[in-house]
Structure formats: structure tokens, C-alpha cells
Amino acid sequence: MFDASRQDSTVSLADNGTVSEATYSLALIPGDGIGVDVVAAALVPLQAVADKHGFAVRQSTFDWSCARYLETGSMMPDDGLEQLSGHDAVLLGAVGWPAQVPDSVSLHGLLLPIRQGFDLFVNMRPHLLLPGITGPLRKSEFDILVIRENTEGEYSGAGGRVHQGTKIEVAVETAIFTRAAVERILRYGFEQARSRSGRLASVTKSNAQKHTMVFWDDVTDELAAEYPDVTVTRYHIDAIAARFVTHPETLDVVVASNLFGDILSDIGAAIQGGLGFAASANINPDGGFPSMFEPVHGSAPDIAGQGIANPIATIWSVSQMLQHLGERAAAADLLRALGTVTATPERLTPDCGGTGTTDTVAAQVAAAL
Ligand code: NAI
Ligand code: MG
């Protein structure tokens, strides 16, 4: 159900449906491992689509990463958010180098502070098969949009450990759900559902988690009254996880908490052909801060430095970025070019069974423009 012209709309900074003459300032955070390769590769089709559609992109690169942490003791400088805040958007590769830096340090030292500090409360992840990609399921007719709450919930970081290393050690991690945050993410889900098929799946585990998740259900019911044109179905996380595999075609917009959305979008990535295809947009729809676009995958230390990382997820994220910036025609054109290239999987990277490299795939997308 690939349709390059139908992108999931976000609130735009500008509203240029066709050719613009704007200059966008883009902050690049390549990060670690294959993050560096895929960001460099994605800039090639970005330049091509900018030339074609008559806008310019001014880039600043930030070396914030685990390598920086090992040198300086921090993933990014103290005024990191301030340095990013003047840009129109952020493109991030991936961060993490678990052999030398604990993942809890790299995640809490860079990604989460940006998502939370810029209040990028929507994490939007499209899961569908690009042309030519079969995926592991024996069906292709699905088009799922996961909308993940991105600022609180299970990833709030509230908690602690006491009596560490002793037999009486205790670890507590409290999930935080505020009415403001639950309401705005659900509302975003309702709006997306309204602009698509009119179907919304709301994900909880309200049978077991009787405070936060019942609260989520209550707010869902309240909003449902405002959206009589949207059909809401409640799913428990375990049931919908299975449904992603058995009946993905029955789902459309799926709205979930930080943890549940994270897990579901890895299943979504798997059924769309792998992590090399899963794109994501971290959005602040109010436009007060730069939104951040990144592939769902991590730094893939097992293939880092080999030049074979699949750049498609990152290029798709660039398309989401252009959509958000208001360059709708360019966003659709870039997605169309991606589909032209994926239609011949032998030319893709080895994770898709092809013989291409990160750079040859990116070059083909640029050529298809
Ligand atoms: P991962 O996504 O880096 O890799 C999982 C598997 O998928 C690996 O076998 C890898 O080779 C493959 N893979 C991932 N992206 C690919 C691509 N573009 N092309 C071809 N194959 C690809 O996840 P993993 O191994 O759990 O984590 C590695 C590091 O990345 C950790 O430090 C982790 O914390 C970090 N990470 C960072 C994320 C981010 O920056 N947003 C997200 C997920 C993990
Ligand atoms: Mg994840």
C-alpha cells in the first residue's frame, strides 16, 4: 500500500506545497557506528532533492557520541540543547557503543535529553513495505503508523537504587503519566486517524497496570467523544504485538506509551523488512523547538565500518523531515525515488539480500530523483 504522495502530515513550519526558495538550517548528529555512515549517505539524496525543488540546506555537524564521551566525559556539551535550538531540524544517526560506554549512559546523555528538553512529544514511525520488499510475513497489505509518547511514561527516569551490590538491594523505577502528556499524544493520534482511515488503536496493559493504564483508557474515552468520526479499539500490548504479526492489515494508527511504542515499532520494523527500513520523526508539533529525525535502528557495532549499513531508514527519515518543514512535494518525491530503488532489491545492501553498499544505494536514490 505504498503511496509516495500520501505522507503523514505533521504541523509545518512553512507551507510550501511546491517549489520554495527557503534555506533550512540542519543540525547533524551522526553519532556512533553506522550512524556516521547512514547520515553521510542520506545527505546525497537530500542535496539532490533540494537542488531539484529549489531550496537550500545549511548543515552544521556535531560530533556528540560515545567517542566524545570517552574523550571528555560527556556525550554532549552542557549547552548542547542551546546549540541545537537555532536550527530548523536535527538529523541523528545512532548513538551507542556498548563495548566501552554503557547504553544507559549514551541514551540518557544524548537522545533522551534532546527528546525531553525540546519536548519532542510525538515519535512517529511508519511501517509499510516499500516496493520490491517482501518482509517475513506472507502478506503485504499493511500500512501502520505507530505514534509513541516520547517524553515521559516508563522512560521518565524517575527512581533509584539503594543498598547497591548488597543482598538487600532495591531498585525502583516509576512510570510517570501526566494528564497533559497523555492527552496531547492521544489527541495527536486521533488527528492522524482522522486524516487516514478513521481507525485508531490505543495500546495499554490496563488489566495489569491499574493506575497509569486505566488512566490512559479514561483519557482515550474522554477524547473519543470529541472525535465521533474515529473508531477507537483498545488493545493490550501483548495482544496487539501478536496482531502486528498475524493481522497487520487490520491496524492503522496505533498510539502507545513510550515503552510500548518502542517495542511495537521494532515489530513494525521487522515486518517491513528489517531495521534498515524503519524511519522515525521526533516531533514537537508546536514548532517551538527543532524536531529530530532518525532511523529507528542503533549503531550496529557488528557491521560498523564495513560500508554495508542500509541507508533507507535514514533517507526515509529525511523525507519525514522535509514533510515537517513544509516541503511536501520534495518529501513525496524523495519517497518515490526510494521506492524506485527498492523495487530492485538486488541493488540494496546485504541485509536485504543485495550486493549494494551504503553509498551505492544512496547514489541510486539521488539518481532516481
Ligand atoms: P542495532 O539496531 O544497532 O542492531 C540490531 C541488528 O540490526 C544488528 O545485527 C545490526 O547489524 C542490524 N542493523 C541495524 N541497523 C541496520 C542497518 N541500517 N542496516 C543493516 N543492518 C542493520 O541494535 P543493537 O545491536 O541492539 O544496539 C547497538 C547499539 O545501538 C547499542 O549501543 C544501543 O543502545 C544503540 N541503539 C541506539 C539507538 C538510537 O540511537 N536511536 C536505537 C537502538 C539502539
Ligand atoms: Mg527501539
Side-chain angles (χ1 to χ4, degrees), residues 188-200 230 252-253:
Y188 200 86
F190 274 99
E191 291 290 339
Q192 286 291 341
R194 177 173 270 177
S195 74
R196 289 169 52 111
S197 69
R199 283 180 291 129
L200 179 68
V230 174
D252 191 332
V253 179

Side-chain angles (χ1 to χ4, degrees), residues 224-238:
E226 284 180 46
Y227 293 86
D229 49 325
V230 174
T231 306
V232 188
T233 309
R234 288 182 186 173
Y235 292 97
H236 289 145
I237 177 65
D238 40 359

Side-chain angles (χ1 to χ4, degrees), residues 217-299:
D217 280 347
D218 288 348
V219 179
T220 305
D221 288 347
E222 287 169 27
L223 286 179
E226 284 180 46
Y227 293 86
D229 49 325
V230 174
T231 306
V232 188
T233 309
R234 288 182 186 173
Y235 292 97
H236 289 145
I237 177 65
D238 40 359
I240 200 172
R243 181 168 285 267
F244 262 60
V245 176
T246 57
H247 299 89
E249 71 285 357
T250 63
L251 297 166
D252 191 332
V253 179
V254 175
V255 62
S257 65
N258 217 332
L259 173 65
F260 292 170
D262 190 4
I263 295 168
L264 284 178
S265 56
D266 264 36
I267 305 178
I271 66 173
Q272 76 185 134
L275 278 168
F277 291 94
S280 81
N282 301 270
I283 293 168
N284 180 318
D286 305 330
F289 296 105
S291 290
M292 179 167 70
F293 302 83
E294 51 165 335
V296 170
H297 66 72
S299 57

